[in-house]
Amino acid sequence: MKQMKLGVSNLVLPVISVGCMRIKALSKPDAEKFIKTSLELGANFFDHADIYGGNGACEEHFADAIGMTPALRETMFLQTKCGIRRGWYDFSKEHILNSVDKSLLRLKTDYIDVLLLHRPDALVEPEEVAEAFDILYASGKVRHFGVSNQKPMQIQLLQKYLNQPIVANQLQLSVMNTTMIASGINVNTAFDSAVDRDGSILDFCRLNDITIQPWSPFQYGCFEGVYLDNDKFPEVNAKINEIAAKYNVTNNGMVIAWLLRHPAKMQPVTGTMNIQRLKEICDGVNVTITREEWYEIYRSAGNKIP
């Protein structure tokens, strides 16, 4: 598995993050097999959140399934997120500290490699966040910090008060959901895709050495479904399949190759609990498509080129 650095941290990680939002749907033996296969593939960075499965059920199921021990813990990297509550968001010092303590218990570990703030809290008080991060960092409970679904000014507001760098920003991105790319391509045009809905977050993260972690790389819309092998999207599927065949990978692998071809050095977050599909995704890590092929796939998804 190819490796990468996460932001300005000293973490050297696989270029794939294994998302665990759906792991509770697996039986304990199947979850164990999935996690062990991930480790064998070198995909040992696991992404969690305190809300996945409801009340941290996915974190707990993950640790129980693998039989977490201190020695096993050292073979992997764990990332989790906090801040989403039922119908509202909470970046208060008390909630952040409480959430991390509960995640540590569920994951059966004494530290989290990366903690992300999960979606923006309109009532955020950055001084409180800074206090919480200082406590977590000093105690060794969290080693690195990031955000999810935040735009540049929100990150800058937080960073003004933080003593630790923000190393990651988890954002929705796929060939069928390219707002952060399209607005840059369509600068100075009247196309709808020229509208900057993300505050130039792609360029901002590159300028500030913040790793973008694309979530739902196989989805279209927000949570409408997958676009691969979907009859609604014949052109993009035909093009992805054509280029995938050239490199002897599946369409799953080609989606990852398309994302990794971007020079922002992203770390895509998978969501599959299917072992074969995970293997196909990992195969895509080793493929480097041409610039022309990248644009061919981009255009086939209906994205405009001025």
Side-chain angles (χ1 to χ4, degrees):
M1 174 66 68
K2 287 184 178 179
Q3 304 286 299
M4 63 178 290
K5 281 191 65 177
L6 190 70
V8 295
S9 76
N10 57 2
L11 282 179
V12 179
L13 309 168
V15 297
I16 292 295
S17 171
V18 179
C20 296
M21 185 173 71
R22 299 178 179 89
I23 200 166
K24 188 66 171 67
L26 299 182
S27 67
K28 186 174 178 180
D30 286 346
E32 179 185 16
K33 185 177 180 181
F34 178 82
I35 299 165
K36 286 185 175 179
T37 302
S38 298
L39 293 171
E40 291 167 2
L41 292 169
N44 63 340
F45 185 92
F46 298 95
D47 175 72
H48 293 272
D50 60 358
I51 63 165
Y52 291 167
N55 296 318
C58 286
E59 291 178 325
E60 187 172 14
H61 191 57
F62 176 92
D64 287 345
I66 197 65
M68 187 69 80
T69 63
L72 186 57
R73 171 67 180 92
E74 293 307 308
T75 68
M76 65 180 70
F77 300 94
L78 296 178
Q79 172 174 279
T80 195
K81 300 180 284 292
C82 70
I84 297 181
R85 307 190 75 166
R86 292 184 181 274
W88 53 298
Y89 303 110
D90 190 350
F91 286 179
S92 66
K93 173 184 174 182
E94 179 183 11
H95 180 69
I96 293 171
L97 295 176
N98 186 49
S99 294
V100 169
D101 283 342
K102 289 181 178 179
S103 287
L104 291 171
L105 286 173
R106 290 189 292 260
L107 289 166
K108 297 181 180 179
T109 182
D110 56 5
Y111 72 96
I112 299 296
D113 291 289
V114 188
L115 175 70
L116 305 184
L117 297 178
H118 205 174
R119 290 201 173 275
D121 175 12
L123 304 182
V124 62
E125 297 182 55
E127 299 92 337
E128 273 200 51
V129 175
E131 290 178 17
F133 282 11
D134 282 346
I135 291 170
L136 293 170
Y137 184 77
S139 65
K141 292 180 179 179
V142 177
R143 296 184 174 180
H144 305 278
F145 301 87
V147 295
S148 179
N149 306 295
Q150 293 205 15
K151 61 184 180 179
M153 294 297 282
Q154 292 168 323
I155 294 173
Q156 286 181 315
L157 177 62
L158 280 174
Q159 195 66 80
K160 175 182 177 181
Y161 296 91
L162 299 181
N163 293 309
Q164 304 81 22
I166 291 174
V167 298
N169 189 9
Q170 200 168 105
L171 298 158
Q172 186 176 15
L173 176 63
S174 75
V175 69
M176 297 296 296
N177 195 326
T178 59
T179 56
M180 71 176 75
I181 295 173
S183 61
I185 290 177
N186 291 279
V187 166
N188 197 36
T189 73
F191 296 143
D192 289 344
S193 50
V195 176
D196 187 355
R197 293 177 171 85
D198 308 298
S200 297
I201 188 61
L202 175 58
D203 295 326
F204 176 84
C205 287
R206 293 181 72 182
L207 282 166
N208 291 275
D209 296 318
I210 297 172
T211 296
I212 292 175
Q213 297 178 330
W215 59 269
S216 287
F218 300 93
Q219 301 274 332
Y220 69 96
C222 189
F223 295 107
E224 295 177 48
V226 297
Y227 57 87
L228 290 182
D229 301 320
N230 188 328
D231 292 340
K232 290 182 180 179
F233 310 106
E235 291 185 23
V236 70
N237 274 284
K239 183 55 67 175
I240 287 174
N241 290 339
E242 173 194 330
I243 299 175
K246 174 184 172 182
Y247 291 94
N248 197 30
V249 294
T250 66
N251 53 3
N252 290 306
M254 185 47 57
V255 165
I256 294 303
W258 185 83
L259 284 169
L260 295 180
R261 178 61 179 83
H262 196 283
K265 299 178 181 177
M266 303 178 194
Q267 185 192 36
V269 182
T270 67
T272 186
M273 291 291 108
N274 181 290
I275 288 176
Q276 180 57 37
R277 190 162 177 240
L278 180 63
K279 290 178 178 178
E280 293 173 7
I281 287 169
C282 290
D283 287 341
V285 167
N286 300 313
V287 172
T288 303
I289 61 175
T290 67
R291 184 183 298 265
E292 182 179 5
E293 289 165 343
W294 188 93
Y295 276 104
E296 286 178 353
I297 292 174
Y298 178 82
R299 290 198 312 271
S300 72
N303 295 303
K304 288 184 178 293
I305 295 289

